[in-house]
Amino acid sequence: MIADPAAPRAGPAGSVALPREADPAAGGIWGTLCVLFAVLVLAAQAWTWGSTLTYVGKPFAGFRFEPTLTVSSIGAASWSGVKAGLAQQDRLLAIDGVAATTPADLWRRVRSVPVGTRIVYRVTGDAGRREVPVPTANFTAFDWIATILPHALVAGAFWLIGILGFAMRRQNAAARVHLAFTTAMAGYFALTTEYDYEGALGRIYPACIFLLGGAALHLGLSFPIRARIAERLPWLVPALYAPAVVLGGAAAVAYRPAAQAGNPLYDLHHTLYWDVGAPWLLLGVAGLLCALGARAFRPPTLLAGQQAKVALYGATLAFVPMAVLWGLPTVLLVDPQAATLLANSALAFFLFFPIAVGYAIVRTQLFDIDLVIKRTLQYAALASVLGAVYFGITVGLGYGLQTVLPRGATEVTNAVAAAVVAFAFAPLSYRTGRFLDRVFARGTYDATLVLFDFTHAARHATDGQALFEAFRVALDRSFRPVAVSMAVPKLADFTAGDTSAMVLSEPLLAGSESLGVAAIGPKHSDLPYTAGDRAFFAAITQQLALAVENNVLINRIRAQERVTKELEIAHQVQAGLLPTLLPDIPDTRLAAHNQAALEMGGDFYDFFPLQAGGWGIVLGDVSGKGMPAALLGAVCLTLFRAIAPHHSSPIEALEAINRVLLRHRASKKMFVAVTYLVYHPDSGWVIGVNAGNPAPLHSGVAIASKGLPLGFAHSARYCDFELLLSEGETLVLLSDGMTDARNDQGQRYGDDRFGALIAQHADADPRDLISAVNAEITEFQGAKSLYDDLTIVALRRVVGA
């Protein structure tokens, strides 16, 4: 039975694992510091490469030494110092009988004699005090490649691994801590050379060791998810980096490029560097591995357990070969040249660990680590079998052919063995894989855990692609099909893998409605789907159907919200096109009102001065409602503002605007009713044209004037009217929304009733008149919504006002 996916999920020991917030140290100043540190380390690497290249072709002592005149552990076995018997940590006491003081003294002595000159060094170390003659040597390009390039390449690789992980998952807390860890490791390897060659940056080398230890512990607290102790103790993370600041800073202060006798702070620097820094680094690495092991075997979530397994697998590939390659020379007493080669090769293996951690952070769907182990066994077994076959053929057939082909037996046996191995590889690989599938991978999985993780991920999926990814991840964690598809017409079709052969499919149902279909291909293991697999697939597709239905509804709501938001913005833009403050026209009082029936309206009005004197007053009404009418209204308003001021005659202005509108209008079914006046406030003289609007009202009396709306016909002809607006008289312009207002019974307000209403308030101030009109229309409509856009403009001549 599959448990309720919404319930908290218990870990392997019964503890409940709940989602936890990301590490707060991963953002803000921490992320900035990580990036800044990465930039500084990159600059340090470039500096080290450039500074060490200057040594090529110049004499050197035949060994590397630290700033304290201590023989370094890094060097080529062919160097004269190694051959002469100098060992790591031997301290140089004197050079040709003269007490050694600083590295500069040694460099001056080396470069003052021809290459090959023996210089006698008095040293002390594990072998006691002794004198060692060492010939000077020429530092060649091969020496640089053998001793410096490996560290430089490893440092660059660490830096690149961290940057790539951070660039791909910069919002992930573990990715930023991983960047700090890899960057500190890059700094450690880059500054190793700088320290041994008395470089300018050698002072901060010990600080990198402390920083690396703190970053390793921080990574253990942050990967795959943040540890609970870091949540309970927020000061813990900064405390991990305190040794880098305090002890690393003290080591930098105590740093003096001089031998023990000439450097009273030598013991302090050496103690901080070796006796404190190295154990701190080992403690950090050990703590990181312990944290990974705890999360791999007691995972808080299934994904976290997979990530920890991947990291542990990388640690195994990194540390085991390193231990072997570093230990072999001592155990087997191999040649020093081979020992150097093995030690440098071990550096490359160390990259497996940060690569594994970076992969686990970057990839949302990890490879199955159990499958990786199984495949490792598969190819190890395959290599063993094929190797035995190849050896058997070359030896057995070789002995048989030696009597027949004494000279060509080796070539024939090698060719036959290679052909047999080539032809046997594919079938043997298939059979080995099937055997290991039966033994190690029988398709077992915890359906409850997988279903819980999928339900949680699907609940947070914001689009169809994210939902499909969650579905694919869930299937990969269960029976790992070679192909997955999800076809949802209301979202999209999503596929992964080769979908040419699908073996299982389930409809996505929301009640009786079919939302689409989900299908999967055969398993990677080639095992058949069991009844349990089919039941789980049916259960997970039910959850997928619910998530698809929610996603469709969310998309629909978002679309509606987007349209509503766009309409609100458009309404604000339209409102901004209309005059917010009416102009101050001499001897005249003005008032205007506009109200759209929908979110957007097609009515507009405006007042503008004319170049020939007087004022232009326009009121327009676009046919229809909503966004199209509003857009055309905005166009017409713009045309009036641009064209009308240049014409003293309203007829000429309308004809010019009509020509432009007909040439550029998008729809032949839309037109614009307009009332346009040329008003001279000094005399009260009005010349007007009414093109399709209700008749203007002069103190409540309709002015007979008709004409075709703008945009109706190319041959439209307009007739104007003239009147003298005396003191105290009112002129009202209106759109048909005023007279076409409807009540609950569907009755129209009407032109006569509206004329009587204006006549009743003809002596009132224009603002009071419009308030009275709005109150009357509102009362007449009752609860019924507006039938059409309402627009009214009132103009009253008041001489001396």
Side-chain angles (χ1 to χ4, degrees), residues 51-110:
S51 62
T52 54
L53 280 172
T54 61
Y55 288 91
V56 176
K58 296 180 180 178
F60 82 112
F63 56 91
R64 280 173 61 167
F65 52 91
E66 297 178 2
T68 52
L69 290 182
T70 302
V71 177
S72 172
S73 61
I74 302 173
S78 59
W79 285 358
S80 56
V82 178
K83 292 181 177 180
L86 288 178
Q88 178 186 0
Q89 294 301 302
D90 279 346
R91 298 179 181 177
L92 305 182
L93 303 178
I95 305 171
D96 282 341
V98 179
T101 54
T102 67
D105 296 334
L106 177 54
W107 281 113
R108 279 194 297 269
R109 177 58 182 162
V110 167

Side-chain angles (χ1 to χ4, degrees), residues 362-451:
V362 170
R363 287 294 300 272
T364 56
Q365 164 59 28
L366 302 174
F367 53 74
D368 189 340
I369 191 63
D370 296 326
L371 178 68
V372 173
I373 296 173
K374 185 194 71 174
R375 289 290 181 252
T376 303
L377 293 174
Q378 175 185 351
Y379 290 112
L382 186 63
S384 300
V385 173
L386 293 178
V389 170
Y390 188 92
F391 179 78
I393 293 175
T394 54
V395 174
L397 186 61
Y399 278 117
L401 291 177
Q402 278 182 351
T403 57
V404 181
L405 299 171
R407 294 186 177 181
T410 301
E411 289 78 3
V412 172
T413 54
N414 286 341
V416 172
V420 171
V421 168
F423 282 106
F425 179 84
L428 190 59
S429 175
Y430 174 76
R431 293 180 180 275
T432 306
R434 290 294 300 271
F435 171 76
L436 292 174
D437 275 336
R438 290 195 299 271
V439 175
F440 296 102
R442 295 185 176 273
T444 57
Y445 55 90
D446 190 328
T448 302
L449 295 181
V450 175
L451 191 59

